[in-house]
Amino acid sequence: QKEVEQNSGPLSVPEGAIASLNCTYSDRVSQSFFWYRQYSGKSPELIMSIYSNGDKEDGRFTAQLNKASQYVSLLIRDSQPSDSATYLCAVNIKGRRSQGNLIFGKGTKLSVKP
Amino acid sequence: SAVISQKPSRDICQRGTSLTIQCQVDSQVTMMFWYRQQPGQSLTLIATANQGSEATYESGFVIDKFPISRPNLTFSTLTVSNMSPEDSSIYLCSVDSQPNSYGYTFGSGTRLTVV
């Protein structure tokens, strides 16, 4: 079973719409969850972190975590063409040999159409 | 958060040669991480580099192929040894963005092509 799974997309939304990105993870003891944005040819950029069940909002971004369902999502409100990128979900897997490392999903490619 | 300078940004190398990638951080960090991102794939952790001790390698990665140095708390190198075309990838170093947060800041990456 893959540790962190995402729909690879592409997810296409019109400008101004809400983009919803989803991620599931397999390790029930995971404590930390992150969303990274990666533009083509660039390195990943951390945009959101969430540690507790519920919602966490930062500007146009909202991260949602449901540990019982092992599910984390990212909502992007008022999507802009500049949001077009690949979004990587990352989970800190506790108990692994190298404490503190992250396991990444394969990413969802988002395209926001003007 | 930390700022990481990574170089080279890209290189084209001959099969059988080695390339050393450098990462310099603008602050002292306990752990540095080296990732590989193959074309169209996500990031895979190669190893964790701790200052003053040997690096910890993930399954599928060995020290002979990917030797790592960590001479101080702001610098690390990753060498890709005896390269083959299968090593063509983007290599990224990263550090914890904030103490104990486990969210990472990444270097700009090294795009390696082996011919």
Side-chain angles (χ1 to χ4, degrees):
Chain A
Q1 182 182 5
K2 295 181 181 178
E3 291 180 289
V4 180
E5 293 202 49
Q6 296 180 254
N7 187 325
S8 61
L11 174 66
S12 183
V13 300
E15 183 175 356
I18 296 176
S20 178
L21 305 163
N22 305 316
C23 173
T24 59
Y25 60 94
S26 61
D27 188 346
R28 287 189 171 274
V29 300
S30 297
Q31 299 292 319
S32 310
F33 308 86
F34 306 90
W35 284 99
Y36 288 79
R37 177 176 60 199
Q38 186 173 26
Y39 292 112
S40 180
K42 302 294 185 182
S43 60
E45 172 193 13
L46 180 64
I47 56 172
M48 287 289 284
S49 59
I50 187 167
Y51 308 100
S52 304
N53 281 327
D55 295 359
K56 178 182 178 182
E57 187 174 320
D58 184 1
R60 295 187 296 112
F61 298 101
T62 299
Q64 300 174 316
L65 175 61
N66 183 326
K67 289 186 178 181
S69 300
Q70 296 174 240
Y71 176 92
V72 58
S73 66
L74 178 70
L75 301 178
I76 306 175
R77 290 182 299 280
D78 189 23
S79 295
Q80 302 296 310
S82 59
D83 295 326
S84 298
T86 296
Y87 289 81
L88 302 170
C89 173
V91 177
N92 174 256
I93 305 294
K94 283 205 141 184
R96 286 175 64 89
R97 188 159 63 109
S98 179
Q99 182 185 9
N101 72 67
L102 299 180
I103 304 299
F104 286 83
K106 289 189 174 183
T108 298
K109 187 172 183 178
L110 172 66
S111 177
V112 181
K113 303 295 185 184
Chain B
S1 59
V3 176
I4 305 173
S5 299
Q6 183 174 345
K7 59 181 180 182
S9 59
R10 60 178 62 229
D11 208 341
I12 300 174
C13 299
Q14 295 293 320
R15 184 193 303 253
T17 62
S18 298
L19 176 71
T20 296
I21 302 167
Q22 300 180 6
C23 273
Q24 179 75 51
V25 190
D26 68 346
S27 58
Q28 293 185 340
V29 293
T30 304
M31 292 188 289
M32 294 181 70
F33 304 92
W34 287 96
Y35 282 85
R36 180 175 73 181
Q37 188 173 30
Q38 294 179 305
Q41 301 296 312
S42 189
L43 286 80
T44 300
L45 181 66
I46 297 171
T48 302
N50 295 307
Q51 193 269 336
S53 63
E54 284 195 3
T56 303
Y57 289 83
E58 296 299 305
S59 176
F61 298 96
V62 296
I63 188 171
D64 290 345
K65 177 67 175 177
F66 298 101
I68 287 171
S69 76
R70 185 78 200 277
N72 57 54
L73 291 174
T74 64
F75 187 79
S76 179
T77 68
L78 169 76
T79 298
V80 186
S81 302
N82 188 25
M83 289 184 285
S84 66
E86 291 71 34
D87 294 319
S88 297
S89 187
I90 298 173
Y91 293 85
L92 296 139
C93 62
S94 67
V95 301
D96 200 332
S97 302
Q98 301 168 26
N100 302 315
S101 75
Y102 303 127
Y104 294 171
T105 298
F106 284 87
S108 54
T110 297
R111 183 180 293 272
L112 171 63
T113 302
V114 184
V115 297

